[in-house]
């Protein structure tokens, strides 16, 4: 059974940082490029970042470039998203997904709220 469990969200002030984690089971994690997507209130899914199987190539949406860093630990079947310099417009539910499934993430997501 495929499972992706996101964690690490919370309430943070503007300029703060959070580190999201995604624990994966039920498929060969190291064989798949992975991605983070988010959904803000009243909006559709927005792609945030991707990482290739070995972690050697990453990509970011312009809205987060220079502030967010994606990484993975294939030995731990875990995907990460380090988020720095957070802004109120980063408020959203964040999901991890296989790259090819980014439009239909399977997990419950983790809520990130940036507010003073």
């Amino acid at each position: 059974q495929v499972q992706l469990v996101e964690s690490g969200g919370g309430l943070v002030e503007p300029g703060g940082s959070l580190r999201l984690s995604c624990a994966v089971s039920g498929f060969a994690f190291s064989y798949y490029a992975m991605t983070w997507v988010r959904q803000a209130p009243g909006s559709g899914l927005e792609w945030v970042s991707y990482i290739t199987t070995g972690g050697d190539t990453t990509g970011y949406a312009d809205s987060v470039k220079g502030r967010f860093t994606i990484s993975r630990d294939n030995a731990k079947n875990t995907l990460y998203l380090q988020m720095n310099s957070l802004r109120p417009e980063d408020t959203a539910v964040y999901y991890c997904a296989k790259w090819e499934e980014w439009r239909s993430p399977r997990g419950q997501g983790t809520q990130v709220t940036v507010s003073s």
Side-chain angles (χ1 to χ4, degrees):
Q1 180 181 356
V2 172
Q3 284 193 314
L4 298 98
V5 180
E6 301 91 347
S7 63
L11 173 63
V12 63
E13 292 186 348
S17 298
L18 285 172
R19 189 192 195 203
L20 306 184
S21 298
C22 171
V24 166
S25 61
F27 66 95
F29 177 69
S30 63
Y31 286 11
Y32 289 87
M34 297 294 294
T35 186
W36 286 97
V37 300
R38 67 187 181 185
Q39 187 165 25
S43 300
L45 282 173
E46 177 190 13
W47 169 76
V48 173
S49 180
Y50 78 88
I51 187 167
T52 52
T53 54
D56 53 316
T57 301
T58 58
Y60 299 91
D62 287 344
S63 57
V64 307
K65 197 173 295 182
R67 301 187 296 122
F68 290 11
T69 302
I70 190 172
S71 62
R72 66 191 296 162
D73 186 334
N74 286 342
K76 295 183 178 179
N77 286 352
T78 303
L79 180 72
Y80 302 100
L81 186 68
Q82 177 68 45
M83 306 187 297
N84 298 328
S85 302
L86 283 161
R87 304 168 179 169
E89 54 264 39
D90 295 317
T91 295
V93 178
Y94 285 71
Y95 302 90
C96 62
K98 296 177 183 178
W99 167 245
E100 61 264 34
E101 296 180 355
W102 76 266
R103 291 180 176 86
S104 300
R106 296 171 181 254
Q108 295 298 308
T110 186
Q111 175 71 49
V112 171
T113 302
V114 185
S115 175
S116 55

